[in-house]
Each structure stands twice: as structure tokens, then as C-alpha cells.
Amino acid sequence: MAGEFTFHQILFDSFTLGRFTSFTEDGCPDGYMQIQEASRPQVGGSWCGTSWGPSIYYSETKSITLIIRLLHLSKEQNNYNFDFRMAYKVLRREYATVRYGGTPPSERPFFKLRPVPYPVNTSRGEDTNIARPTKTPEYYLGDLISGTYCSRIFSDCDRKKCRLQSPNFPGVYPRNLTCYYAVRQHEVPQGKHALIVVKQPNGQLVSIRSQKALYATNQQERGNSGRELKFWQQCDEVQDYVTVYDGYTTRDPVILRFCGGGVSVPEAISSGPELLVEFTTSPFGTFLQPATSLSLHGFQLEIEVRFVDQQSPTYAKNKRACEFWIRGTGRGILEHPQHSLPPNTTCLYHMQGIDTSGPSGRNIIYRRQFSAPRFRVWFSVLKFYVTNALNPHLPEDEYCGSHLNIWDGPMRISPGCSDIFCDKDRSVQMSRATSPQSVIVGRPPTNATLVARFCRERAPRTCEHALLRKSRACARTESFLSKGDSLTLELKLTQGTALKPVFFKALYEFVDLHQDGEPWGRGPCSRRFASRSFPEAPSDPPVTFSSPRDVFLYGRGGNRNISCTYRFEANPGEAVRLKIWSVRSGGRLCRSVHSAHSPWYRCGGEITAAVRVFDRPWKDSGPGVLRDCLCSDVLDYEFTSSSTVAELKFDVINMTAVDDFRSFGFEASVEFVRVESGCEGTHRVHGPSGELLLYSSIMGMDRCDQRPWLIDPSPGRYLYMKIEGSVIKEPNLDNFTLLNNITVAPDLRHMCRTQNRIAVYTGGLAPIYICPQPPHRQEEQSVEIFSDGWVKEVDPLARHVLAPAPSPDHFDLDWPRSLSVELIAVESGSYFITWLELSRRQPSEHGGVFALSGDCHYRCPSIDACISSALWCDGISQCPDGEDERLTQCSSFMNAPFHYITGFIAFVGCIAFVVVAATRSCRRRHSALQQRLKSFSSDTAIFDEKEVIC
């Protein structure tokens, strides 16, 4: 039949041609029918037997030929074996939307709509595009390979609507046929890897004969109306099936084989940019089929292209070995392979912590010699489940059939390559492999221990809450931590993942335990750097170090606070030089700004995360002298100590569950440099009290004279310091200053008559700056300073940062009570400082309300403190109000015992009583004499009154 139109539709209303006996061997002994397409090779397939229902054949070309051969005609009248009724029709291509896609003609407009002459009201959400029907694009059916009947090539289906169809779809397909559909993705974005997906979510477009029976043999087959998809060996009955290969040849692994129809075809995904689909039919066939409601024959499959990261363990680079090497120092997400895997496949994920950055140039003198591995693998399973692609509610065929094993240790020796697949070292082994099972690693070595097994029926330890967008980190009880630097994941599959998909998602992280320097003291991250150079030899080169990278020291590892102390000890004649960069404060609003009263940096804003540099002129005695506080980067920051010991403290508090060393940390280097000469004297004083003179001269001062002074109290005592002047504070910084990174200190000269400042270091996070006054000034204004812990509780942040020095041989759990003072000189001046040792009153034995009313013989009431007995009544006022030099305190009589004073008072009282009595008696006698003299006459001689002695 020839025609000028696209193709033909042939309807076999009834068909009888001999007997049908087999699909594979001599199935049509009495005769057969063959259909030949123009310009297509002859395939030789035959139809025979009897069919009462209609069967439709759609040609692929414009011309077809039907060949009918009857070899044996039945002699019996009632048993005729040759009869058929056929109808045909010529169709245009545009009507074949099932095969070619596009918009059916009935949906196309017969005339072009004119523009609306009046404005359309769109305020109520009316659709203005209602007269603009969208045209469905036509299918891309591939390019026919020359000389073949139905083999086709598909390329770059990410931009096309590709469809794989059986020959003559949607009509009956030819017999004795093998078609190959080669799909290849040529254009792949940079850094991506292409995966080809074959699927059909609409089960009505798939109907491949899967059983020999010409009728429904049981009630189940009648009930499902032929809607059943069969796989693998189930398709050998008729040998009509579709095979999907993970590659471009039939030598590649088979990931899916199916037949039947009526239900959706699960996704079959290749591991690379190439995929091959093979459609095979048996040599003989019949139009008679079991009862079915499907009117279509053959299949139509959709093609999709997906892209994954090229350097990611989401696909197997070698089709015959699912094996990955994940090595490094970072962390990541590990998921199931994004492509289909054949049955009886084992995937191995070798995770090993190793520094792949190469030589860093650091001085290995200070690197810790690890007897244990430097890295440990932290692994958390977020989810694991096995499902059924056709019916997720169906149970597994066997208990823990497909499962995931976690091994603590290596399964085999690392091949020593940096690629996550490491194929080159196994090229010889892979070339000899003929099946996935031939390259599966055997039992693990003795140093690998099975720690967990996950399957559909059991999940020993998971961390599901980490799947949420904002969730805390996985706890140690929800995850696994390897004992060494290696951990192996073994995914064993009994069935292919196209039918029984396995889904898992996990977090892995290589925990870096390395810390620069040597262990020092109690802290988990306190380190020590000591100069190892000799006087004659040149100085050591700078040593680079950084904050710890152990995630378990940070918030994500379970710690809210971290405090690290780095101690630097130079040899005599050397000083410590520090350079600091890459300061990270976790996005907190804090900036490193210049101090308004000193040449140092201070932290402005939220100072809960900072790097602080301390000078220690007296090594382990007294509080460290805080020099700089950094919470943001400072360009070309450099610090040189004034002594042989310096310290750097890295402290963070109130970390969240997402904070780690990427959020908080620093990079630095230390160098021990030679100085001209050391300073004589310790600039350290002590005693129950004293006076210190600080002075500066415009003629210049020696470096040693500018060192701070340490006032060291006796054990168990505090210090009270008095300085003439007033406290001057650092200005508060507003958000505008912090956000715009304004680091210049404001001009505060109007607040003090001198540019000199006295800095007192009490052990807090910032010194107390004092605007000093010269001695003997009329307006007397003084500043009183106590050791920290005397009059108030210590700031919790200061206690966290300035914990006692973790000396390896001495742990002083008491808070430091020393004070250090320093003159920051800009101009000439001299100032006096006085100090006084204090002690608390001893608790009373009675306790209760009067617990502090115990004995304190030498007490300054104004500050409620006891002072040394040597200072009491020594002629110099030590107490703030001079209570120690008052007459009531210093008189010997007032200090006599009580019973002596009582006796003396009684004796004095007796003497006074006798004197008073004698005086009164004498006065009475004198009065009587005067009375007698008045009684004599005037002639009587008058005696001189002075002569009367009484």
C-alpha cells in the first residue's frame, strides 16, 4: 500500500491463520503473516493463531507490505484455520499525538483572535491570556540508525522532550526484533556530571506481553485486568522485554529488565552520561491476549537528564565497582548513589582523615608527635530506609536483605590517590572483572570492627532532627566516632535499587585533633612555645599556629565555652614577637579599636569572643598585663613583649549549636627575636604598706624604666591602693561606629589636664585608667582601688578568660590578688601611689548573724578590713580616715587591761572622796571662827585673818 500521507492504520477486526504453538520455536506450523515496512530491513517475525478482538497496527513509513502464507489448510469443515477481516485508513502525522506529541487538531483555534478593543479589568485577577493557548511541543524520537529497523540515537535530551517508543507504537509491535536506543548527553556544565533517567509514570503507555497463556488462567489475573509489571526472570516466559544498561553497550551492567504493563515504570538511572535501552521480542506471536483493558501495545518511555557535582560521592565512576575514597580534613553530606545499582552490589565508602594540603611551611619543632591518629571520623546517620518502587508497603523478601554496615577502621589499604574514586590504581583489576561481584572486597581486616548495621527493620542510632533546617548538632549518643582516622561504610544490596530503592543520608566530619605547640597545663587547648635557639646560633624562623580545629571544643561539638592559653617563653636576651590575622568572632558585633588612653587596641561592642595578648614581666607572678584585645582583623598587627614571657588567650562564651572553628578562631605566628640587653631589677614591691613614685621626663626614658610595677601582697591578703586623681573611662561605641569599622580613638584631652595616664591592672578584662594629679594640689580627689574579689564578685567573663595560669607543676585555684600599675607617659610628670595590705576579719566561732564580728585588733572601720599590727600607731596614717593613729587607739592608758583600769578608777575615786571630805570640814571650822569674832566688842583686839591657818 502506498500513499502520500504520513502513515497507515490497519485494523485486524478478526484474524485466523493456522495454529499458534510457541513464542520461541516453530510457533506457526500451519502458516503466518509478516508485515514489511518500506525502506526498513526485513526482521522475519510472524503472527498466527486466532484473535477475536480488534488489533491495530500503525506503520512507521508511508508504505507497508503484508505477506500471508498458509502452509496447511484444515480438511475439516468445522475447524477452519484461515480467515481474517482487515480495515485500513491513511492518517496524517498531526493527528498522531500519542506517538509524536504536539497539540491535537481539535484543540487548535480555527481563527486568530483579534485584540480586545476595550480595556480589560485585571483588578480581580482575571486571566488576560485566556485566548492564548499554549502549544504542546512534539516528541523527539531520536535519530534512526541507518540500516536498522528501529535502533535510534538520542543526544542532549536536557533540551528536548525525548521519548523512547517501541516500533509501530501505539499499535502492535513486530516480532523477532531487537531495538537499541542509545542515549548520550554531550553538553555537560562545568564541574557537573550527567545522569540519564528512563521512566514512565503513566502505566497506560506500557503494555509488553509477559505470559504465554492466551486467556486469563486465574481469578487474580482476571482481577488486575492485565495491570502488572514483571521483572528479570519473570519476563523469560514470552521473551518480550525491555533491558536498561548502565552504559552504551550490552557489556555494561544491567540495572533493569521489565515487561508487562498497566502500572508506572520505576526510574532507571545511569551512572554516567550514557545509557542503552534494548527492546527484544520473540520470533512468533499471536494477536490473542488475556483479558485486558489496555488498548495500547508496546511502550513509551520518558528521558530525563540530571546533573550532580562532578567531585562528589553521588555516583560510581567505575560501572563495575561501587567504591569511593573520601579523604581530607573537612566535612560533608554522604547520600546514597543517585543512580540505579544492579542486584547483588556492594558499595564501599572509605573515609579517612588526612591532611591533603601538602607542606605548609610550619616549623615541625612545635608540631605534636601523635602516637594516636591525628584525625578521627565523626559519622551521623540521619536517615536510612528501603522501599519498594511499585508498592512501598510491601515487606522485604528477607530480614535485613539490603543493609548498611559501619566499620570502625579501614576495609583495605588506601590506594594513595587524591581522587574520591581512585580508579587508576585498580585499572588492571577492573579490566579483568566481568561482574560486580568479582571486585567486591572480601571480609574486612582484623583491625576493622563492625559498630552498627542499618536496614529496613532496624536503625540502631540515628540523628533525624538534623534533617530540619534549624537544628542542634548531633550528640555523641546519636552518632559514631571512630577510634582511628578511618571509617568504612558498606552498603550491601540484594536487589537492584531501581525496584527496591535504598535511601540514606549521613553527615561525616574529619575531626582534626592536631594543635600546634606543646601541651601545657590543664586546658584541653593550652599550648606552650619555647625558644630553642642558642646564643651563638641565628634565631629560629617564625612559627605559624592557629586556634584549635577540634570541633568537640566548640558549640557544635557540645561545648558552650572555650578558653585556650598560648604561652611563649623566650630565652634571656630575647623577646616574643607576635603577628595575628584572620580573627573570627562568629559575626558578633565587635571591633578592634584604638584605646583612647593607651597605644593598645581594645575590643568595642560584644566582647564575648576575642583574642587577648598579655605581657608577663614577672612570669607567673601577678596578673598579666593586658596589652591588646582583638575581635576583628587589624591590618599588619604586631606585638613585641617587654619581657621573656607573653601569653595569648583565645576565649569564646555562649556558643550555639552551629558554631565551630570556622566561626571563631585566629591565625598567628610567633618569633623569638634578640634584644640589646635585659632589664635589671624586677619592678616588683611588697610589704604591709608603701609608697611608689611614678615619673616621666621629656628628656626620654629607658625602656626598662617604662615597665609596669607589680605590688604583690602576702599570702591570703588583699591590696588597697590610693592614687590622687580621677577615673577616666573608655568611650562607649555605638552601632554606627561598630558597623562602619571606625577604629580611630576619639579625642578626650578635654577630660583631663594632662595627657599622662596611670593604668592599674587588677586582673580584669580591661585596665583602670586614671587621670593623675600632681602631689600637693589644692583640689584633692583620689581614687581607691581594691584587689578583685574584695568588694564585689568577679565578673564571670573575666573569671572565664583570666583563669589561674595552668602551670604544669602548680595549680593556684585562688584568684590573683596582686595589682600592677603602669605610667603611660606622654609628657613630664611625677605621681605618688600608696598601697596597703588588707585581710578579712576572721569568722566568729558563734556564727549566725554575727559571723563576721570576730576579733580584729587592728581594723580600719571605713573599709571594714584588718591591717598589719606593724602599721598601727606608727606615726603614719594608713587607714583612709586615719583611724590607726587616733589618740583613742594609740594611748597606752587606753590600751591597759580592763581590770587594771577599773582598780585605778576606784583608787582615784577614794582619793577624791577624802579630799572633798577634808575640804568641807575645814570650811565648817572657818565659818564657826568667824561667828565668834563677830560676837566680841569693838574694843577687843582684832587678829590678822592671815594668821588663821586651817
Side-chain angles (χ1 to χ4, degrees):
M1 299 179 185
E4 57 181 345
F5 294 95
T6 303
F7 65 96
H8 303 274
Q9 172 185 313
I10 301 178
L11 172 65
F12 296 96
D13 190 29
S14 65
F15 180 84
T16 301
L17 181 58
R19 295 171 298 142
F20 174 76
T21 59
S22 173
F23 285 95
T24 56
E25 297 180 2
D26 195 16
C28 299
D30 299 334
Y32 56 86
M33 181 186 71
Q34 295 180 343
I35 302 177
Q36 294 183 359
E37 297 270 357
S39 67
R40 298 287 175 89
Q42 175 66 24
V43 293
S46 303
W47 283 277
C48 60
T50 301
S51 173
W52 295 285
S55 298
I56 303 177
Y57 180 92
Y58 296 97
S59 69
E60 292 274 349
T61 61
K62 297 180 179 180
S63 176
I64 61 174
T65 303
L66 272 69
I67 301 176
I68 300 175
R69 292 182 180 179
L70 181 62
L71 302 179
H72 300 284
L73 183 63
S74 176
K75 298 179 180 181
E76 299 181 4
Q77 198 82 15
N78 298 330
N79 191 17
Y80 62 93
N81 62 351
F82 179 70
D83 177 40
F84 74 90
R85 184 167 59 250
M86 180 187 71
Y88 70 92
K89 181 170 62 173
V90 179
L91 300 177
R92 292 188 301 177
R93 178 188 177 96
E94 60 182 0
Y95 285 91
T97 57
V98 177
R99 174 186 290 184
Y100 298 108
T103 303
S106 59
E107 299 181 4
R108 298 177 182 175
F110 291 96
F111 58 91
K112 185 176 181 180
L113 295 179
R114 297 179 179 179
V116 181
Y118 51 87
V120 179
N121 182 13
T122 59
S123 61
R124 298 184 179 180
E126 298 175 356
D127 190 2
T128 60
N129 297 326
I130 190 172
R132 300 177 183 177
T134 58
K135 184 178 180 180
T136 305
E138 293 189 355
Y139 299 145
Y140 173 62
L141 303 180
D143 299 328
L144 182 67
I145 299 178
S146 178
T148 65
Y149 186 89
C150 54
S151 296
R152 295 177 178 271
I153 295 178
F154 297 79
S155 60
D156 297 330
C157 287
D158 59 328
R159 303 177 182 177
K160 307 171 185 176
K161 200 171 184 179
C162 299
R163 293 294 186 270
L164 271 66
Q165 295 180 355
S166 58
N168 309 106
F169 180 81
V172 293
Y173 48 82
R175 313 306 304 178
N176 196 34
L177 190 68
T178 299
C179 302
Y180 296 101
Y181 306 87
V183 185
R184 175 176 292 175
Q185 181 67 26
H186 295 280
E187 297 183 5
V188 180
Q190 184 71 24
K192 296 294 183 179
H193 181 78
L195 306 178
I196 310 297
V197 183
V198 175
K199 62 180 180 178
Q200 182 49 266
N202 187 0
Q204 295 180 353
L205 298 179
V206 178
S207 179
I208 303 173
R209 186 150 191 166
S210 60
Q211 58 182 0
K212 290 182 178 180
L214 304 181
Y215 308 95
T217 58
N218 53 47
Q219 187 66 30
Q220 181 180 1
E221 293 178 358
R222 296 189 188 98
N224 59 23
S225 301
R227 296 177 180 274
E228 182 183 8
L229 207 62
K230 297 182 179 180
F231 305 95
W232 304 111
Q233 292 80 6
Q234 297 176 348
C235 299
D236 293 340
E237 187 176 353
V238 178
Q239 295 189 6
D240 289 0
Y241 49 78
V242 174
T243 305
V244 182
Y245 295 91
D246 185 13
Y248 219 52
T249 67
T250 55
R251 297 186 301 271
D252 291 315
V254 178
I255 56 179
L256 182 63
R257 175 176 294 173
F258 68 91
C259 57
V263 296
S264 60
V265 178
E267 294 183 349
I269 309 173
S270 69
S271 62
E274 299 174 343
L275 180 139
L276 180 66
V277 177
E278 179 186 16
F279 176 53
T280 302
T281 63
S282 60
F284 305 96
T286 178
F287 293 133
L288 183 64
Q289 296 204 30
T292 176
S293 61
L294 300 178
S295 60
L296 300 181
H297 297 266
F299 65 89
Q300 184 187 84
L301 302 178
E302 299 179 3
I303 301 177
E304 180 186 350
V305 180
R306 297 175 183 173
F307 297 100
V308 296
D309 292 336
Q310 187 175 14
Q311 291 298 325
S312 66
T314 55
Y315 67 98
K317 192 173 184 180
N318 192 301
K319 299 181 179 64
R320 296 199 174 274
C322 181
E323 190 168 11
F324 307 91
W325 289 91
I326 305 170
R327 300 186 296 177
T329 60
R331 59 172 176 161
I333 299 176
L334 195 62
E335 294 185 278
H336 57 276
Q338 302 298 308
H339 56 86
S340 302
L341 294 172
N344 300 321
T345 300
T346 298
C347 290
L348 295 178
Y349 296 84
H350 306 277
M351 290 175 282
Q352 182 184 15
I354 186 173
D355 189 359
T356 58
S357 60
S360 60
R362 299 183 182 180
N363 194 338
I364 62 173
I365 294 178
Y366 301 103
R367 285 192 173 275
R368 176 179 173 183
Q369 301 297 326
F370 276 83
S371 57
R374 169 179 173 177
F375 294 92
R376 299 179 73 181
V377 184
W378 187 19
F379 191 79
S380 305
V381 178
L382 307 186
K383 66 177 181 180
F384 179 88
Y385 61 92
V386 182
T387 184
N388 192 309
L390 302 179
N391 188 353
H393 302 289
L394 292 178
E396 278 282 326
D397 298 335
E398 56 179 313
Y399 180 77
C400 277
S402 297
H403 57 269
L404 179 71
N405 292 333
I406 300 178
W407 297 89
D408 187 358
M411 295 284 281
R412 69 181 183 90
I413 301 176
S414 170
C417 72
S418 58
D419 187 52
I420 64 173
F421 304 102
C422 294
D423 292 334
K424 297 180 180 179
D425 296 330
R426 307 184 64 192
S427 58
V428 178
Q429 182 181 3
M430 296 303 167
S431 63
R432 298 177 182 176
T434 57
S435 64
Q437 294 87 343
S438 61
V439 295
I440 295 303
V441 180
R443 298 303 302 167
T446 56
N447 58 346
T449 305
L450 181 64
V451 295
R453 171 171 292 182
F454 290 81
C455 59
R456 179 170 180 171
E457 293 79 7
R458 56 180 297 182
R461 192 183 300 177
T462 57
C463 183
E464 292 96 345
H465 64 82
L467 294 171
L468 303 176
R469 179 172 297 181
K470 293 182 179 180
S471 174
R472 61 175 175 84
C474 297
R476 295 285 291 273
T477 57
E478 301 170 327
S479 55
F480 304 92
L481 186 64
S482 66
K483 297 179 180 178
D485 61 358
S486 299
L487 187 141
T488 305
L489 207 63
E490 182 185 25
L491 178 63
K492 296 183 71 69
L493 305 173
T494 57
Q495 300 188 30
T497 57
L499 300 179
K500 296 292 182 68
V502 176
F503 300 92
F504 77 86
K505 188 175 184 179
L507 302 177
Y508 71 89
E509 183 167 359
F510 301 112
V511 181
D512 191 352
L513 305 179
H514 170 73
Q515 295 187 41
D516 298 291
E518 302 172 352
W520 180 66
R522 297 173 296 166
C525 55
S526 295
R527 315 297 293 178
R528 174 177 173 268
F529 296 79
S531 175
R532 302 178 184 274
S533 62
F534 298 97
E536 306 84 22
S539 302
D540 293 333
V543 178
T544 303
F545 65 98
S546 63
S547 52
R549 300 176 63 86
D550 187 352
V551 68
F552 294 113
L553 298 177
Y554 295 86
R556 195 162 56 83
N559 280 338
R560 288 180 54 85
N561 305 326
I562 181 175
S563 179
C564 302
T565 301
Y566 298 83
R567 184 179 176 90
F568 312 98
E569 298 178 355
N571 291 330
E574 294 179 339
V576 180
R577 178 175 295 169
L578 292 174
K579 295 182 180 181
I580 304 175
W581 64 92
S582 297
V583 179
R584 304 179 296 276
S585 58
R588 301 180 182 181
L589 191 57
C590 184
R591 295 292 182 270
S592 304
V593 298
H594 290 280
S595 172
H597 309 297
S598 68
W600 317 111
Y601 285 95
R602 70 183 183 96
C603 294
E606 188 178 359
I607 59 173
T608 54
V611 176
R612 296 175 174 86
V613 179
F614 292 84
D615 203 349
R616 282 203 169 268
W618 313 282
K619 294 189 177 180
D620 295 329
S621 299
V625 178
L626 176 62
R627 288 311 187 195
D628 292 298
C629 179
L630 306 178
C631 58
S632 62
D633 270 341
V634 174
L635 183 63
D636 298 331
Y637 172 82
E638 183 175 305
F639 164 78
T640 302
S641 67
S642 62
S643 62
T644 59
V645 179
E647 287 183 357
L648 183 149
K649 291 182 180 290
F650 168 62
D651 301 276
V652 184
I653 64 172
N654 299 329
M655 287 183 288
T656 65
V658 298
D659 293 331
D660 58 10
F661 56 88
R662 299 174 181 86
S663 307
F664 301 96
F666 67 93
E667 301 287 334
S669 67
V670 58
E671 182 181 6
F672 300 102
V673 296
R674 302 283 172 80
V675 292
E676 296 180 358
S677 61
C679 299
E680 297 181 359
T682 60
H683 268 225
R684 178 176 180 178
V685 294
H686 57 85
S689 67
E691 188 177 60
L692 189 63
L693 174 62
L694 302 179
Y695 68 95
S696 61
S697 174
I698 59 175
M699 302 302 295
M701 298 180 63
D702 185 72
R703 176 179 63 90
C704 296
D705 294 334
Q706 297 178 353
R707 291 180 299 162
W709 286 86
L710 174 66
I711 306 174
D712 198 8
S714 303
R717 292 181 177 270
Y718 295 86
L719 287 176
Y720 163 79
M721 181 182 291
K722 187 175 181 181
I723 305 175
E724 299 298 329
S726 60
V727 175
I728 182 169
K729 296 183 178 181
E730 295 279 5
N732 294 325
L733 302 181
D734 54 12
N735 291 341
F736 177 82
T737 303
L738 298 175
L739 292 174
N740 290 275
N741 202 19
I742 300 176
T743 62
V744 179
D747 189 2
L748 302 179
R749 287 180 291 181
H750 63 282
M751 301 179 62
C752 185
R753 296 183 177 180
T754 177
Q755 298 185 41
N756 294 340
R757 298 292 185 270
I758 295 179
V760 180
Y761 304 91
T762 63
L765 293 180
I768 300 174
Y769 291 107
I770 299 174
C771 173
Q773 292 181 0
H776 310 298
R777 194 176 183 87
Q778 291 183 357
E779 59 270 13
E780 293 184 0
Q781 187 178 5
S782 61
V783 177
E784 296 179 341
I785 300 174
F786 294 84
S787 298
D788 272 2
W790 173 258
V791 296
K792 63 179 181 178
E793 292 294 331
V794 180
D795 181 16
L797 179 60
R799 181 172 290 277
H800 170 77
V801 175
L802 303 171
S807 175
D809 54 356
H810 175 68
F811 303 102
D812 183 11
L813 300 180
D814 195 6
W815 191 254
R817 299 167 178 173
S818 303
L819 294 177
S820 56
V821 60
E822 180 182 19
L823 175 62
I824 304 175
V826 180
E827 56 191 24
S828 299
S830 60
Y831 315 98
F832 285 98
I833 296 174
T834 59
W835 81 86
L836 178 65
E837 282 189 357
L838 307 178
S839 63
R840 297 187 184 276
R841 286 185 291 163
Q842 298 297 326
S844 173
E845 298 179 357
H846 302 288
V849 180
F850 304 99
L852 292 180
S853 61
D855 294 335
C856 182
H857 299 291
Y858 310 103
R859 174 173 170 266
C860 294
S862 58
I863 56 177
D864 192 20
C866 302
I867 64 175
S868 174
S869 59
L871 304 178
W872 202 258
C873 299
D874 61 349
I876 302 175
S877 296
Q878 309 291 345
C879 293
D881 294 339
E883 298 95 334
D884 58 324
E885 300 299 329
R886 289 180 180 174
L887 180 62
T888 56
Q889 303 290 340
C890 299
S891 174
S892 300
F893 173 75
M894 299 301 296
N895 292 329
F898 178 73
H899 59 278
Y900 288 168
I901 297 177
T902 303
F904 177 76
I905 293 175
F907 175 75
V908 172
C910 293
I911 296 299
F913 176 77
V914 172
V915 171
V916 171
T919 303
R920 287 184 177 180
S921 176
C922 184
R923 286 182 178 177
R924 284 196 301 267
R925 294 174 64 185
H926 178 71
S927 176
L929 181 59
Q930 292 292 337
Q931 228 21 35
R932 288 196 300 267
L933 291 177
K934 289 180 182 180
S935 63
F936 292 119
S937 60
S938 59
D939 297 337
T940 307
I942 300 175
F943 298 94
D944 189 0
E945 189 175 354
K946 295 182 180 179
E947 296 179 0
V948 179
I949 300 173
C950 183

